[in-house]
């Protein structure tokens, strides 16, 4: 995505932000992510802040408002600082988190904090004031026939468990970019993490062994997890057909390996 740098925003939009932050001394456009037209770190006299945003007339503007409301209630998320609408832009300020993207490969020291984070996240209820389609509705016809009930739940689920959406800090993992969050089973984020672990070098058995350290996943019905694995594989394949991206092939292969593993080992 072509991003709009901070200095190219209308002066009224920048002044509205600076009413919250104080004068901006320096701005750096983020080089990760593909969704936000504005994504940058601002340095001010009181510290750094992360800003993301979109034009008010963009059809996706509602997602930024929703994300802000979800992030404000989500566990292990950056603090929501402010939200402004000025100069035809919607801009949202979040706490700047100083950390590194975790290493999910076998033997990594980041795996224990990952399990702690998934355990904490599984206990968060969906904020009912925020209206979003639940997971089984979002995936629709790609859920195996007659099994949509397996994916029903009212937990607050991030759904995009890429290590690029995680920051490892001295106090544990922080999850960022909650735009795709939705209501789902309390074990779903752990399930979303399994193919990420396989992609990082774990066997499916090893990845599931890590997942089972999370009580919510350990208590999940094997049949419901099977439904999830088949649906996730179908969803990722469908997205690759309609919007191919370089990173998707390896993730689809990881999801396929998980499906095959469960077919062989789970009764």
């Amino acid at each position: 995505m072509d991003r709009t740098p901070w200095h190219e925003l209308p002066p009224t939009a920048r002044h509205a932000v600076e009413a919250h932050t104080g004068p901006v001394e320096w701005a750096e456009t983020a080089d990760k992510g593909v969704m936000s037209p504005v994504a940058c770190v601002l340095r001010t006299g009181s510290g750094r802040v992360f800003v993301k945003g979109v034009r008010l007339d963009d059809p996706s503007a509602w997602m930024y408002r929703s994300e802000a409301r979800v992030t404000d209630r989500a566990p292990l998320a950056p603090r929501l600082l402010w939200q402004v609408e000025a100069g035809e832009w919607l801009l949202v300020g979040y706490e700047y988190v100083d950390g590194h993207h975790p290493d999910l490969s076998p033997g990594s020291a980041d795996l224990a904090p990952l399990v702690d984070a998934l355990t904490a996240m599984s206990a968060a209820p969906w904020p009912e004031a925020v209206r979003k389609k639940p997971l089984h509705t979002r995936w629709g016809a790609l859920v195996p026939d007659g099994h949509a009930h397996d994916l029903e739940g009212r937990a607050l689920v991030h759904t995009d468990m890429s290590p690029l959406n995680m920051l490892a800090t001295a106090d544990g993992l922080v999850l960022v970019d909650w735009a795709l969050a939705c209501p789902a089973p309390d074990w779903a984020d752990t399930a979303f993490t399994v193919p990420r672990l396989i992609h990082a070098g774990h066997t499916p058995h090893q990845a599931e062994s890590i997942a089972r350290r999370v009580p919510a996943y350990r208590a999940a019905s094997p049949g419901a997890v099977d439904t999830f694995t088949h649906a996730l594989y179908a969803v990722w394949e469908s997205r690759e057909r309609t919007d191919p991206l370089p990173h998707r092939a390896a993730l689809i292969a990881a999801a396929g390996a998980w499906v095959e593993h469960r077919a062989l080992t789970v009764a």
Side-chain angles (χ1 to χ4, degrees):
M1 166 171 289
D2 291 330
R3 288 216 158 105
T4 300
W6 165 255
H7 67 272
E8 291 184 8
L9 288 171
T12 50
R14 287 185 276 120
H15 293 161
V17 169
E18 289 180 322
H20 293 275
T21 66
V24 172
E25 301 169 354
W26 166 89
E28 181 181 8
T29 299
D31 61 358
K32 298 288 194 301
V34 297
M35 294 180 64
S36 297
V38 168
C40 60
V41 176
L42 306 181
R43 185 174 67 193
T44 73
S46 58
R48 287 178 286 186
V49 59
F50 179 75
V51 178
K52 65 191 305 184
V54 67
R55 290 184 60 88
L56 284 168
D57 60 0
D58 191 291
S60 69
W62 71 271
M63 291 181 63
Y64 290 77
R65 297 186 182 95
S66 176
E67 180 183 11
R69 297 175 72 194
V70 170
T71 304
D72 197 34
R73 296 161 174 81
L76 311 182
R79 286 183 299 118
L80 172 66
L81 301 177
W82 42 260
Q83 182 173 319
V84 300
E85 298 185 15
E88 301 183 346
W89 282 84
L90 165 62
L91 300 168
V92 186
Y94 294 99
E95 171 190 20
Y96 175 80
V97 178
D98 190 7
H100 66 271
H101 298 304
D103 173 10
L104 303 188
S105 65
S108 169
D110 292 327
L111 295 177
L114 173 66
V115 171
D116 291 342
L118 292 170
T119 300
M121 290 163 62
S122 69
W126 179 258
E128 296 298 338
V130 181
R131 303 290 295 275
K132 297 239 357 223
K133 291 180 180 179
L135 184 65
H136 68 282
T137 302
R138 177 187 289 181
W139 283 354
L142 296 176
V143 178
D145 288 345
H147 289 274
H149 65 278
D150 287 337
L151 303 183
E152 292 178 359
R154 302 304 296 178
L156 196 171
V157 176
H158 186 285
T159 80
D160 190 6
M161 298 302 290
S162 164
L164 295 179
N165 289 333
M166 306 174 189
L167 290 169
T169 75
D171 297 320
L173 289 191
V174 174
L175 273 291
V176 301
D177 289 340
W178 289 81
L180 299 179
C182 72
D186 58 3
W187 48 266
D189 270 335
T190 305
F192 274 111
T193 305
V194 170
R196 301 288 180 171
L197 292 167
I198 297 170
H199 178 253
H202 298 264
T203 67
H205 175 76
Q206 291 168 335
E208 284 215 322
S209 294
I210 293 169
R212 282 194 292 272
R213 299 179 198 171
V214 178
Y217 185 87
R218 193 164 61 245
S221 159
V225 177
D226 285 342
T227 296
F228 180 97
T229 64
H230 286 279
L232 180 65
Y233 182 74
V235 167
W236 283 357
E237 274 207 320
S238 175
R239 289 176 183 169
E240 176 63 8
R241 286 194 299 270
T242 58
D243 182 24
L245 290 174
H247 71 279
R248 284 203 177 124
L251 287 175
I252 292 169
W258 188 24
V259 170
E260 292 176 7
H261 168 73
R262 291 189 64 84
L264 293 172
T265 62
V266 179

